[in-house]
């Protein structure tokens, strides 16, 4: 019957998605160092807003400018922590906020280098020292002492298109028009 076929297809699709999440998590846990994320891979790998079946993620969003010393120290800590926490439930990752990845900055409201911990559908901003001890304390439960926020869903296609293409064009058009007046 059609209903039986539909149920079978839905079950099959759910299994494919579950296996993909498991495979992604396993593959990412076996690589050395932090995982590199971008605007296209962020949600697929982290599943931060869609169930987080790949585990908890600690992402260092890197921006040009801001507090360079803190960022440099955090990058060193991230390299060590990624290897120390491999297969222990938290995946460490980088995401640069330049170019197309600027959409991640817009999604999470980030303007400077920021570390966000994603756990159980929530995001927690890390604002402590750039040391292994402080980061490890945060990962082991210190994040629960920080007020979390629900993970923002990925931007809709039209939001991405507006932010990436139309808004800059409108800005240029306004400047050109203002100069002619």
């Amino acid at each position: 019957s059609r209903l039986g076929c539909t149920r079978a297809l839905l079950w099959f699709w759910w299994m494919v998605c579950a296996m993909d999440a498991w495979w992604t998590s396993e593959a990412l846990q076996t690589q050395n160092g932090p995982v590199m994320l971008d605007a296209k891979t962020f949600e697929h790998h982290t599943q931060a807003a869609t169930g987080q079946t790949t585990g908890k993620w600690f992402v260092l969003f890197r921006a040009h400018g801001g507090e360079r010393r803190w960022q440099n120290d955090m990058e060193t800590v991230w390299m060590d922590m990624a290897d120390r926490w491999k297969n222990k439930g938290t995946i460490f990752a980088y995401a640069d906020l330049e170019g197309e990845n600027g959409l991640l900055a817009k999604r999470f409201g980030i303007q400077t280098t920021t570390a966000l911990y994603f756990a159980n559908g929530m995001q927690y901003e890390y604002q402590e020292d750039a040391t292994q001890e402080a980061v490890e304390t945060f990962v082991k439960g210190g994040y629960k002492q920080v007020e979390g926020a629900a993970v923002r869903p990925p931007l809709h296609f039209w939001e991405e298109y507006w932010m990436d293409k139309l808004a800059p064009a409108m800005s240029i058009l306004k400047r050109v028009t203002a100069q002619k007046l």
Side-chain angles (χ1 to χ4, degrees), residues 127-146:
Q127 297 180 335
E128 305 300 322
D129 294 333
T131 64
Q132 284 186 353
E133 297 78 24
V135 170
E136 192 153 16
T137 298
F138 195 81
V139 170
K140 286 182 175 179
Y143 70 91
K144 295 175 184 173
Q145 308 305 315
V146 175

Side-chain angles (χ1 to χ4, degrees), residues 85-98:
W85 276 83
K86 189 183 299 181
N87 299 316
K88 292 183 182 177
T90 296
I91 301 170
F92 283 76
Y94 291 132
D96 290 323
L97 298 177
E98 305 304 318

Side-chain angles (χ1 to χ4, degrees), residues 38-49:
D38 60 35
K40 291 181 175 76
T41 63
F42 185 88
E43 192 61 35
H44 177 74
H45 287 334
T46 66
Q47 298 179 356

Side-chain angles (χ1 to χ4, degrees), residues 9 60 62-63 71 73 84 91 105 110-111 137 147 173:
L9 285 172
L60 182 61
R62 302 183 294 190
Q71 179 175 329
D73 291 347
R84 287 178 61 190
I91 301 170
I110 299 170
Q111 296 178 0
T137 298
E147 187 175 339
L173 185 60

Side-chain angles (χ1 to χ4, degrees), residues 24-179:
T24 298
S25 177
E26 290 298 309
L28 293 173
Q29 289 282 359
T30 59
Q31 80 176 39
N32 291 328
V35 175
M36 289 300 297
L37 300 171
D38 60 35
K40 291 181 175 76
T41 63
F42 185 88
E43 192 61 35
H44 177 74
H45 287 334
T46 66
Q47 298 179 356
T50 57
Q52 213 161 359
T53 58
T54 58
K56 296 175 182 175
W57 286 75
F58 211 166
V59 182
L60 182 61
F61 293 91
R62 302 183 294 190
H64 295 292
E67 178 56 51
R68 283 302 297 171
R69 182 169 183 218
W70 188 83
Q71 179 175 329
N72 291 341
D73 291 347
M74 284 299 279
E75 287 176 0
T76 302
V77 169
W78 240 238
M79 290 298 291
D80 295 335
M81 294 301 287
D83 292 334
R84 287 178 61 190
W85 276 83
K86 189 183 299 181
N87 299 316
K88 292 183 182 177
T90 296
I91 301 170
F92 283 76
Y94 291 132
D96 290 323
L97 298 177
E98 305 304 318
E100 287 187 23
N101 292 340
L103 294 173
L104 287 173
K106 290 175 178 133
R107 174 180 174 186
F108 293 108
I110 299 170
Q111 296 178 0
T112 62
T113 298
T114 303
L116 292 179
Y117 188 68
F118 298 93
N120 308 316
M122 301 290 285
Q123 64 186 43
Y124 304 87
E125 186 173 352
Y126 179 81
Q127 297 180 335
E128 305 300 322
D129 294 333
T131 64
Q132 284 186 353
E133 297 78 24
V135 170
E136 192 153 16
T137 298
F138 195 81
V139 170
K140 286 182 175 179
Y143 70 91
K144 295 175 184 173
Q145 308 305 315
V146 175
E147 187 175 339
V151 176
R152 295 178 182 164
L155 297 174
H156 185 273
F157 169 77
W158 291 112
E159 290 174 301
E160 287 184 25
Y161 189 75
W162 171 256
M163 289 179 185
D164 195 36
K165 304 283 191 269
L166 295 179
M170 293 297 289
S171 176
I172 292 168
L173 185 60
K174 283 180 184 177
R175 275 188 270 142
V176 169
T177 307
Q179 287 175 353

Side-chain angles (χ1 to χ4, degrees), residues 12-28:
F12 176 74
W13 181 249
W14 181 84
M15 289 302 293
V16 167
C17 291
M19 290 302 293
D20 181 53
W22 175 81
W23 180 257
T24 298
S25 177
E26 290 298 309
L28 293 173

